[in-house]
Structure formats: C-alpha cells, structure tokens
Amino acid sequence: MLAEDVETTLRDFIEAFYKTPDGDLDEEQLNQAIEAILTSGRDTEKKFLKALRQYLGKSGLNPQDFDEQVAKQAFAKHLDQPIKVKGFGDLTLYEYIQLFRNVWAHYQTSFKDIDWKAIDQLLDAVRSIRNAIAHFREITPQQREQLKFCADFLDRHRPSVEVLEPETAKVAVTLPSPNFSAAINQISQLPGQVSSFIPGSWQLPQFMNGDSPCDIAEIRPPDEEVDPLESRYAPLAAWLQSQEQNKVTLAFQAVETIIQDTLPSSARKHRNWWANDTVSHSQSKQWLEVGWRVANINLSEEQVVFSRLSERKIAYADFFNTLQPKLEAVPDVAIQFVTVPQGGSWVQLTISAQDLPPMTCHINFLRRARLCISHYIGTGNRDTNRRIFEHLQVQSVQIEADFGTDLCWERLIGQQGARISIYREQSSITDPPEVLEEMQTWILETLPRFYKALAKPTQNAYQVAETKA
C-alpha cells in the first residue's frame, strides 16, 4: 500500500501540472508527454547504426563504404517496431517517474529547491523495493521505512485540494435510506464545506395550497434505486451520476452518509485506496463506471474531490444534442427539452399532443449500462405520490396494452417519489456510434407510445389525488 501511495501521489503531481485553467485535465498535452517518454523506434535505430559503424571499424572495413540509407531500410524491415501508446493509467512506476522528472521544474520551489538527483535516487529506491514486492520477496524493516518516508515526504508537498465554490446542484439521487430526514441532518451538521454541497433536490419542495401536482415542473431526474446486493459504494456512484456540476468536494463523513456505511481504515490512511483503478478496486469501479474520477484527495483534511470525465461529458452532450432535433421532428406530438444538454446523463422533456394533456418525462442513462424513459411522480408529498402511483397501477393492464409491452412500476422503497419506466438494457454512452444510433431510434419509437399510453391516466390520477388531499 505504501508503494502504491507513492505512485498515486506521483500521478497527482503529473495530473495537476496538466490541468487546464478551468480545472479539467488536458488529455491531449498529457498524451503528448507520455509519447515523448516511451521508448522510440528512432532511438533504437540510432543505436543500430552506431553498432554497425563500430563493427565496420573493428573489422578493418572502410567506414566510408557504409550506406546509411541501406542500413535504415534493413532496420525498418527486421527490427523496427511501432511505439505502443499507453494510457495514463497503464504506465509503469518508472514511466511515472520520467513524467515527474519532466515537470520537476514546476514543483522544485515547493520542495525547497531540492536537486532532481536526490528525488530521483529516492524514487529509484522505491521502484526497486516495489519490484521486490512484486516478485514476492520479503523486504527489510529498513526498506519499509524508506517506503513510508517517501510516501509521507511526497504527500507533504503534494498539490493541495482545491476549495471549490459550490455550483448550484439542481439534481441528485435521493439517499437509499428510509431515514431520509436523518441523513440530511447528518450532512447538514458536518464541518467544513460539506453542508453547502447538499443538492437542492434533497430539500423537499413546498407547495402552496391549491397548487395542482400537474402544474408543478419536476426538478430532478428519476431517482435510481440501488439493489441491496450491489457494492456498498453503488449509492455513491448513483449520487455522482445525478450531479449537474462537473466537480464536487466531499468530506469523508459525507461519503459515509451517502453510502450509509463507514469507510475502511485504509481509506483514511492510504491515498491509493482512492486511486482510479478499474481492475482491483471495487470502490473506484463504481465511480468510473458512471463517468467520474477522483481528481484530488487530502488525507489530513479528509476531503476528496470528484470530477466528471471530460470525454463522458462530451459524449452525453453529443448524444442529447443530436437527439433533440430528431425528437422535435416526431409527427403528431410536440416534444420540448426542459433541460439544456450540457454533459449530464439525463434530460427532462415535456410532451403534448392534440386531445392529450401534457406530461413530463425523463431520458436517463443509468448505471449497469441501462437507458431509461420514465415518468417520475414527485409532488413533494409522499402520501400524494403513493395515491397517484396506486391509481395508475390499478390500470396497468390497460396502460400496458395501449403501450404494447410491459412497463416497470417502481415504488422506489425508502424514497419519496415513484416512477413508471421502460428500460433498454446493454446501453452505455461509451458504446460505438452505430449502437448509439440504435438507442436514439429506440427513443424515437418508444417515447411517443409511452406518452400516449400514460398521458390521460396520469392526468386523472393527479386530479384524483389532489381531490383526496
């Protein structure tokens, strides 16, 4: 863990150097830096030519007879290999050290102008110890102390966690706990910046007497249920996926409140626990799956900064921006976007048609590679939501007959609202373009039928619930 902490901290230094002014990772510049440190075929070619010249000289042959062009052709035919480009997360510790060396001038002042040779010797010792561990060799107490010293030394000088001004959080997944109010109170009482990150949709809306639930615009996408058999970090992934802002700072206590469980002791001791590892870390698999990564971690202050993966944001924006004109061109219904696609995983729509009442719907990419069309019942009153849902569920046979297939009737146990939805499985925003096109076709065919089957029954259900309120 200590060796991995060193590697994680080096990655933080490197990523911090390649951040754009708005805090996003400049992946193009980083990739160029990675290519520059990888072994080049040209370097090998130079060594090959040098070896040939040396051979000619020692063999008593005339070096002037050396045809460099012919030698290069022979090298290209028999020895040349293309550079294998690696992703940042696939680099070796040696390669991270080379990247760190290239940006050392930027950090040297904060390290009190220590010469790179001293840092290089320290990191090279860590690399040797890690290689010993990888080959299952026992390390000495002195080597263990070296690891601890290096991990602590780098951590003391690492880039600090940026204290962010909270952006307005318009949406969020409700906590997957029946004790909703208690959980909100827990977060509200946490120290530091955490209370300012309580999403607006966690504050239960208040409605004036006489308001009709049909007239109140929804303020969030459908809440995503978390299966009890899923990873205990699944609620954190669901919470992150629902965020509109691209970066959030959470205290460890806030993370524990969201997952309704305590973090392991290693999360407070080792930076590597927070590494964006898709292979061996069950926790990071959860947030990476929904397009988020740990951008910064401060163990002493117990704060973590999550940021949305820029490529995921672009993919969501492209998907919904190209979908929008197609939906607006659907005949016999008027479909308008309530939310502007800006890189989030969902959009809210209003749909209307002649002789049918308007209705709000959501299109949402969810975890576990699912695409969802839904109508969310969220009036701000749990009992009213229940009455609306039950009134509609009584008519489910007829509604599903009108729709043409089964629907999902979800009470969202432990949450305030309920929803009616239809899912397309095996549908991820990271799928190839042709599959994304199939998803859009599915939406264009499914959404109008979904609306027409539910519009009148939903209006009636809201009116009945309002009368009984």
Side-chain angles (χ1 to χ4, degrees):
M1 292 294 287
L2 288 170
E4 291 178 346
D5 282 349
V6 172
E7 180 176 312
T8 302
T9 306
L10 286 179
R11 292 174 59 170
D12 287 342
F13 276 111
I14 296 162
E15 289 185 325
F17 180 83
Y18 289 102
K19 288 284 180 66
T20 62
D22 59 2
D24 293 329
L25 185 65
D26 189 333
E27 296 183 6
E28 182 178 353
Q29 290 294 323
L30 177 57
N31 289 335
Q32 289 177 4
I34 292 172
E35 288 186 26
I37 65 162
L38 296 177
T39 301
S40 170
R42 289 189 297 274
D43 293 337
T44 308
E45 181 186 74
K46 290 178 182 177
K47 294 178 181 178
F48 173 72
L49 297 176
K50 182 179 179 181
L52 283 179
R53 289 191 178 95
Q54 186 177 11
Y55 167 77
L56 291 173
K58 290 189 174 182
S59 299
L61 301 175
N62 187 353
Q64 294 181 351
D65 293 336
F66 178 72
D67 190 328
E68 184 172 306
Q69 191 61 37
V70 173
K72 287 183 176 181
Q73 290 174 357
F75 174 83
K77 181 176 181 180
H78 298 287
L79 297 174
D80 193 19
Q81 294 181 347
I83 299 174
K84 184 179 179 181
V85 179
K86 293 183 179 181
F88 184 64
D90 299 324
L91 299 179
T92 64
L93 177 56
Y94 173 78
E95 288 161 345
Y96 287 125
I97 293 173
Q98 301 312 303
L99 284 175
F100 188 45
R101 179 184 63 182
N102 291 344
V103 301
W104 174 247
H106 178 75
Y107 292 111
Q108 190 168 7
T109 302
S110 65
F111 280 83
K112 298 183 179 180
D113 293 320
I114 296 175
D115 188 77
W116 168 255
K117 290 182 180 179
I119 300 296
D120 192 28
Q121 290 174 354
L122 181 65
L123 294 175
D124 189 60
V126 170
R127 190 165 67 89
S128 298
I129 296 170
R130 179 166 179 173
N131 287 341
I133 296 172
H135 289 88
F136 303 101
R137 293 199 293 268
E138 188 70 25
I139 64 173
T140 66
Q142 182 182 5
Q143 289 176 314
R144 188 172 289 106
E145 285 301 316
Q146 283 181 290
L147 289 178
K148 188 176 187 307
F149 172 81
C150 186
D152 292 343
F153 174 73
L154 291 176
D155 191 58
R156 286 198 304 270
H157 296 85
R158 64 182 305 281
S160 61
V161 171
E162 180 185 5
V163 178
L164 303 171
E165 290 297 324
E167 302 176 41
T168 302
K170 297 180 181 178
V171 297
V173 163
T174 309
L175 288 171
S177 165
N179 198 357
F180 182 77
S181 299
I184 294 299
N185 290 334
Q186 289 177 42
I187 289 188
S188 301
Q189 295 169 11
L190 293 176
Q193 298 289 325
V194 178
S195 61
S196 62
F197 284 91
I198 298 175
S201 63
W202 285 15
Q203 311 297 331
L204 305 186
Q206 302 295 318
F207 300 127
M208 299 294 291
N209 291 335
D211 281 348
S212 167
C214 298
D215 299 329
I216 298 171
E218 295 182 63
I219 60 173
R220 63 181 181 184
D223 295 334
E224 183 173 1
E225 287 189 297
V226 177
D227 192 298
L229 298 179
E230 289 189 70
S231 164
R232 64 170 173 165
Y233 303 105
L236 176 61
W239 187 89
L240 287 170
Q241 177 152 327
S242 72
Q243 301 307 298
E244 280 190 340
Q245 62 267 40
N246 296 316
K247 190 173 293 185
V248 293
T249 302
L250 290 173
F252 291 179
Q253 284 180 279
V255 174
E256 290 174 328
T257 301
I258 292 171
I259 67 174
Q260 293 290 281
D261 202 350
T262 56
L263 291 168
S265 60
S266 55
R268 288 180 160 84
K269 294 179 180 178
H270 297 287
R271 298 179 46 73
N272 182 64
W273 190 91
W274 299 93
N276 299 299
D277 185 344
T278 60
V279 179
S280 59
H281 290 183
S282 61
Q283 64 274 15
S284 59
K285 288 179 184 178
Q286 293 294 320
W287 60 68
L288 289 169
E289 180 195 3
V290 296
W292 285 76
R293 61 186 294 277
V294 170
N296 218 332
I297 181 71
N298 190 313
L299 293 180
S300 60
E301 297 178 9
E302 295 200 345
Q303 284 189 322
V304 56
V305 178
F306 288 98
S307 64
R308 193 189 305 274
L309 294 172
S310 57
E311 62 269 23
R312 191 70 60 92
K313 179 182 176 182
I314 293 170
Y316 283 133
D318 286 346
F319 182 89
F320 288 120
N321 279 321
T322 57
L323 176 65
Q324 184 171 358
K326 296 178 183 179
L327 285 173
E328 292 173 349
V330 173
D332 302 325
V333 293
I335 302 176
Q336 293 183 323
F337 275 47
V338 175
T339 53
V340 179
Q342 294 182 336
S345 61
W346 63 278
V347 291
Q348 180 177 318
L349 313 164
T350 59
I351 313 175
S352 59
Q354 189 174 3
D355 300 327
L356 287 176
M359 190 174 81
T360 59
C361 287
H362 290 94
I363 302 172
N364 202 13
F365 283 93
L366 298 176
R367 296 176 306 110
R368 306 195 304 278
R370 295 174 299 155
L371 181 59
C372 176
I373 295 173
S374 65
H375 172 69
Y376 180 65
I377 302 169
T379 67
N381 183 287
R382 188 186 302 272
D383 291 335
T384 301
N385 295 338
R386 177 181 54 78
R387 285 194 294 270
I388 294 170
F389 180 80
E390 290 176 351
H391 186 88
L392 285 167
Q393 194 171 30
V394 168
Q395 308 170 65
S396 61
V397 174
Q398 183 59 53
I399 291 172
E400 290 174 347
D402 294 339
F403 177 61
T405 190
D406 293 344
L407 293 169
C408 294
W409 301 83
E410 301 171 89
R411 290 182 177 272
L412 302 180
I413 303 301
Q415 302 184 29
Q416 191 191 57
R419 74 178 164 206
I420 305 159
S421 53
I422 179 73
Y423 292 90
R424 187 183 191 273
E425 302 292 338
Q426 303 301 316
S427 302
S428 170
I429 194 63
T430 60
D431 285 338
E434 61 272 17
V435 180
L436 295 176
E437 185 69 29
E438 292 173 3
M439 293 181 207
Q440 292 193 349
T441 300
W442 177 79
I443 292 171
L444 293 170
E445 294 173 350
T446 305
L447 183 60
R449 292 190 294 111
F450 183 81
Y451 160 67
K452 290 176 181 178
L454 277 169
K456 282 188 176 180
T458 300
Q459 183 189 49
N460 293 336
Y462 274 78
Q463 290 173 346
V464 169
E466 184 180 14
T467 301
K468 293 181 178 179

